[in-house]
């Protein structure tokens, strides 16, 4: 079988990873085409997230841990992608959040679509069937505006959810991306990576997901991410 690596960035998610990681590996029974590995990229969490992962490693040989300084979601993904490509030679790399806002049972669906000729499969909140049931009006407006900016500036009008963090990516197109040019924070990284993949010829498929609020821990995306997003959209326009 080929290899699929889930890159899971964490910062102070000890409580969530204890319950999430077993559920990720439980999806293997529904995936016959790939062996699932999970690479937790922890930004030196002060709450013992790395220790929680280490306690589970004897139970799950395909669970891996990569530590590093806290430099933003994008930097964690870049570090994790580079490590996964180098160490595991995967066919697929998946990205998702560690806060239970991304349903683990969607993993087999994303992987299945990637085996059907798609280079990038997006768990989409805004395609038909997707939903954000707990978004406030303000959050909904910000998210919709951000996606509209990416679609317009990046010339990808057909993609509905350009900032989703739940994705399955073929490794070969990902190897063509220059990680050094991608921003280090959340919204900007997701948008810029998407545009790099699409402009390099990636074939995209969106699958609907329901995106609930987190129930444990606190969101790590803040005003700084929004400011960087606006700045990087301006850079993208000129590029």
């Amino acid at each position: 079988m080929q290899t699929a690596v889930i890159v899971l960035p964490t910062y102070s998610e000890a409580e969530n990873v204890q319950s999430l990681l077993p559920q990720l590996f439980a999806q293997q029974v529904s995936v016959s085409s790939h062996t699932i590995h999970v690479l937790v990229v922890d930004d030196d969490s002060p709450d013992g997230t790395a220790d929680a992962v280490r306690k589970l490693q004897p139970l799950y040989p395909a669970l891996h841990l990569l530590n590093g300084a806290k430099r933003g979601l994008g930097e964690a993904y870049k570090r994790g992608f580079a490590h996964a490509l180098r160490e595991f030679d995967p066919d697929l790399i998946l990205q998702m959040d560690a806060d239970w806002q991304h349903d683990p049972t969607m993993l087999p669906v994303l992987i299945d679509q990637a085996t059907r000729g798609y280079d990038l499969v997006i768990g989409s909140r805004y395609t038909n069937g997707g939903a954000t049931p707990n978004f406030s009006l303000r959050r909904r407006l910000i998210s919709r505006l951000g996606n509209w900016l990416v679609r317009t500036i990046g010339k990808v009008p057909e993609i509905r959810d350009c900032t989703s963090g739940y994705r399955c990516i073929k490794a070969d197109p990902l190897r063509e991306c220059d990680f050094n040019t991608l921003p280090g924070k959340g919204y900007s990284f997701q948008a810029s990576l998407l545009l790099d993949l699409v402009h390099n010829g990636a074939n995209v498929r969106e699958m609907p997901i329901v995106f609930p609020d987190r129930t444990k821990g606190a969101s790590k995306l803040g005003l700084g991410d929004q400011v960087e997003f606006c700045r990087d959209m301006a850079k993208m326009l000129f590029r």
Side-chain angles (χ1 to χ4, degrees):
M1 285 198 296
Q2 294 179 306
T3 301
V5 180
I6 303 168
V7 177
L8 191 72
T10 58
Y11 183 75
S12 293
E13 297 285 5
E15 195 173 7
N16 282 318
V17 297
Q18 291 176 50
S19 57
L20 178 63
L21 290 171
Q23 288 302 309
L24 297 184
F25 286 108
Q27 306 312 309
Q28 183 68 75
V29 298
S30 301
V31 177
S32 60
S33 57
H34 291 75
T35 300
I36 294 176
H37 287 251
V38 179
L39 173 63
V40 177
V41 184
D42 186 59
D43 283 353
D44 291 340
S45 296
D47 73 335
T49 298
D51 290 335
V53 175
R54 292 187 187 100
K55 288 178 182 178
L56 289 171
Q57 283 183 303
L59 299 176
Y60 303 104
L63 174 59
H64 315 277
L65 177 64
L66 184 64
N67 284 312
K70 187 176 187 297
R71 297 174 57 201
L73 178 68
E75 294 298 335
Y77 266 127
K78 287 189 276 186
R79 192 165 77 247
F81 287 167
H83 183 86
L85 291 170
R86 182 176 63 251
E87 298 296 326
F88 304 113
D89 190 26
D91 172 56
L92 301 175
I93 287 185
L94 296 101
Q95 50 177 142
M96 67 181 298
D97 296 341
D99 56 10
W100 277 103
Q101 289 183 287
H102 292 150
D103 181 0
T105 63
M106 280 298 296
L107 286 167
V109 177
L110 302 184
I111 291 173
D112 175 69
Q113 290 298 308
T115 66
R116 297 175 185 269
Y118 295 101
D119 301 305
L120 170 60
V121 186
I122 300 171
S124 176
R125 299 162 292 181
Y126 302 128
T127 196
N128 289 338
T132 53
N134 303 120
F135 270 22
S136 66
L137 177 60
R138 177 179 177 275
R139 189 177 179 190
R140 197 181 305 274
L141 288 173
I142 290 173
S143 181
R144 292 284 189 175
L145 176 60
N147 274 283
W148 177 81
L149 284 171
V150 179
R151 285 198 301 272
T152 303
I153 293 172
K155 295 182 172 60
V156 287
E158 71 284 357
I159 299 177
R160 307 312 303 167
D161 196 345
C162 299
T163 58
S164 170
Y166 203 4
R167 297 170 176 172
C168 181
I169 311 167
K170 284 283 184 71
D172 286 343
L174 194 59
R175 289 187 177 95
E176 298 299 315
C177 295
D178 183 356
F179 295 158
N180 293 323
T181 66
L182 298 178
K185 293 187 179 289
Y187 305 115
S188 292
F189 173 78
Q190 305 291 24
S192 297
L193 175 62
L194 171 83
L195 294 179
D196 271 19
L197 289 167
V198 171
H199 292 161
N200 286 336
N203 189 14
V204 182
R205 169 76 161 155
E206 289 187 86
M207 300 300 294
I209 62 168
V210 176
F211 188 79
D213 275 346
R214 66 158 62 226
T215 58
K216 299 175 183 177
S219 174
K220 312 306 186 297
L221 297 178
L223 180 61
D225 299 277
Q226 295 172 16
V227 171
E228 185 190 55
F229 177 80
C230 294
R231 184 188 66 214
D232 289 330
M233 287 302 98
K235 289 181 180 178
M236 205 173 295
L237 177 61
F238 286 105
R239 189 175 70 181

